[in-house]
Amino acid sequence: MFEIKPYPEFSWSNSRHKTFTECKKKYYFHYYLSHNGWLLQAEEENKQVYRLKNIKNLPIALGEAIHDIVHDQLKAHLAGEPLLTEQQLKQECKNKLNQAFIDSKKHYENWAQKPKKFNMLHEIYYNNELNPDDVDKIKEKIEICITNLLSCKSYNEILSNENLYVLEAEELKAFYFDDIKIYVVLDFVFRDRLSGKWVIVDWKTGKENQGDRDQLALYALYLMDKFDITLESIEIRNEYLQSGKTVTYTLNEEDIIEARNLIVNSSDKMQTYLQDRSLNKPLSADHFEETFSFRCKSCNFKELCDLSGKNDG
Ligand code: SF4
């Protein structure tokens, strides 16, 4: 039977680390106060924070739509089903974003009841409108990203190589290191049966950024843990769909040591904010300080913080 727990399970992920580094209050809202907010009988405060946690802005909604489309297209290919054309893929992407807009504008109550099932765009929730320039940019991005997807190295390799063993497609996976549960989201993983090489593909709809590299060692750690394979047999690719650039990485032992150190040190720091480590019970809310910065403007939880006089959030 489904058990209701007063506190969430402690786990570590790259995005949790990022949130913890950015703002402790945001971290508290996202990883603790939202807990159980999906339950009918939850306190209104938990429900509100859980709803806010599920808001997404336009670029994130676009990223999700493209990931879903790639996932469905490759799934259809693996099942031997017909593939959508470039125009159909673009239309599908537009439909998903239109739906996000309609949900946000017209189905507030549905979203408030089921924030994971319906969409709420950050721009609509906080400003009740989309900036026309942003909408134009998103439309342009859809065109570019889908065109680049169809010509990128990984997509074509997956479609043409019959010796691929496909492992994962867009799934949240967990593994343990030093008794810490680690979550990674793998976009697509395959193994070339002839060369024995494992390839992890990450579809990126944003611009290249240094932080992208931080995730890579985690992917390798996951594969090494699960399949007992060597680091040398793993290739990691970021497909930047906006620029059409493929960036391939091979990692060395130092990268792995750094990733392990990051996990341990970051988890240790997170756990100093716990009242009871065995329960993952957090300290009281006032221990989680706000970090006011330019990020507040786009933060999902900004209605919960007093931003008066702080930037233009
Ligand atoms: S609005 Fe700013 S201070 Fe408040 S949680 Fe978000 S990032 Fe932190």
Side-chain angles (χ1 to χ4, degrees):
M1 209 180 98
F2 177 65
E3 190 193 348
I4 297 173
K5 295 187 175 163
Y7 307 106
E9 181 189 30
F10 183 81
S11 61
W12 190 92
S13 68
N14 206 44
S15 54
R16 183 174 181 133
H17 171 69
K18 242 178 91 189
T19 307
F20 181 75
T21 311
E22 275 177 21
C23 174
K24 301 293 181 289
K25 190 64 96 186
K26 183 175 178 179
Y27 171 79
Y28 173 70
F29 290 146
H30 191 105
Y31 291 98
Y32 290 98
L33 200 56
S34 66
H35 182 63
N36 283 340
W38 53 86
L39 299 172
L40 211 59
Q41 68 272 32
E43 298 288 335
E44 189 44 46
E45 186 183 39
N46 302 101
K47 286 184 180 176
Q48 179 191 9
V49 176
Y50 178 67
R51 283 196 291 268
L52 295 175
K53 176 179 169 175
N54 281 288
I55 287 178
K56 50 191 133 178
N57 63 22
L58 257 186
I60 289 181
L62 171 70
E64 285 184 7
I66 291 191
H67 274 83
D68 286 352
I69 282 166
V70 180
H71 178 254
D72 291 348
Q73 181 85 332
L74 294 178
K75 208 169 134 200
H77 163 70
L78 296 172
E81 292 164 5
L83 299 184
L84 297 186
T85 64
E86 182 170 346
Q87 282 320 311
Q88 286 170 325
L89 289 172
K90 287 176 180 173
Q91 191 53 51
E92 184 67 18
C93 195
K94 286 175 197 161
N95 293 347
K96 283 179 186 287
L97 290 175
N98 282 338
Q99 189 58 51
F101 177 74
I102 292 166
D103 280 358
S104 309
K105 274 289 205 190
K106 299 194 173 160
H107 302 300
Y108 176 89
E109 281 309 322
N110 292 342
W111 170 76
Q113 297 297 322
K114 294 183 177 163
K116 261 200 183 307
K117 209 167 165 211
F118 292 85
N119 300 281
M120 178 54 74
L121 292 170
H122 190 280
E123 294 85 346
I124 304 286
Y125 185 81
Y126 280 108
N127 298 327
N128 202 28
E129 61 183 6
L130 293 177
N131 178 334
D133 287 348
D134 291 344
V135 174
D136 288 346
K137 277 187 205 144
I138 289 289
K139 282 183 186 162
E140 200 184 323
K141 239 173 137 180
I142 292 174
E143 295 291 323
I144 295 171
C145 287
I146 298 291
T147 301
N148 286 338
L149 166 73
L150 297 189
S151 61
C152 81
K153 177 177 173 176
S154 302
Y155 180 84
N156 285 293
E157 186 174 346
I158 294 163
L159 255 55
S160 62
N161 189 338
E162 288 175 0
N163 288 304
L164 296 187
Y165 162 69
V166 175
L167 178 67
E168 319 278 355
E170 187 81 8
E171 279 187 48
L172 188 64
K173 291 283 165 191
F175 66 102
Y176 284 86
F177 171 68
D178 212 21
D179 285 338
I180 304 164
K181 191 174 194 178
I182 322 274
Y183 278 110
V184 286
V185 182
L186 295 154
D187 281 355
F188 204 84
V189 182
F190 62 83
R191 179 169 173 255
D192 186 326
R193 288 196 186 94
L194 295 181
S195 67
K197 186 176 68 179
W198 291 81
V199 180
I200 304 172
V201 184
D202 216 1
W203 316 103
K204 298 277 183 197
T205 48
K207 292 200 174 110
E208 265 181 75
N209 104 43
Q210 192 49 40
D212 293 346
R213 201 184 154 83
D214 298 347
Q215 291 178 349
L216 307 179
L218 290 179
Y219 298 160
L221 275 175
Y222 169 75
L223 279 192
M224 287 157 70
D225 176 84
K226 187 159 173 163
F227 297 101
D228 198 21
I229 54 175
T230 62
L231 191 54
E232 294 71 40
S233 61
I234 302 173
E235 178 183 314
I236 303 176
R237 279 188 215 152
N238 280 349
E239 293 287 1
Y240 290 97
L241 300 179
Q242 242 193 102
S243 62
K245 201 166 142 192
T246 303
V247 180
T248 302
Y249 302 89
T250 41
L251 300 169
N252 56 37
E253 277 304 325
E254 244 171 62
D255 293 312
I256 296 298
I257 292 169
E258 257 180 47
R260 287 181 170 142
N261 287 341
L262 174 72
I263 293 167
V264 172
N265 294 335
S266 165
S267 301
D268 274 353
K269 283 188 193 140
M270 287 173 187
Q271 296 198 349
T272 63
Y273 283 79
L274 294 178
Q275 200 181 112
D276 185 327
R277 289 188 180 210
S278 64
L279 294 174
N280 192 29
K281 178 181 178 185
L283 293 171
S284 58
D286 55 320
H287 287 84
F288 293 81
E289 60 277 27
E290 289 118 339
T291 303
F292 296 110
S293 74
F294 67 93
R295 291 196 181 93
C296 295
K297 198 174 174 184
S298 54
C299 176
N300 283 8
F301 305 106
K302 66 180 183 177
E303 71 179 20
L304 304 174
C305 294
D306 180 8
L307 299 179
S308 47
K310 311 273 188 335
N311 304 305
D312 59 346

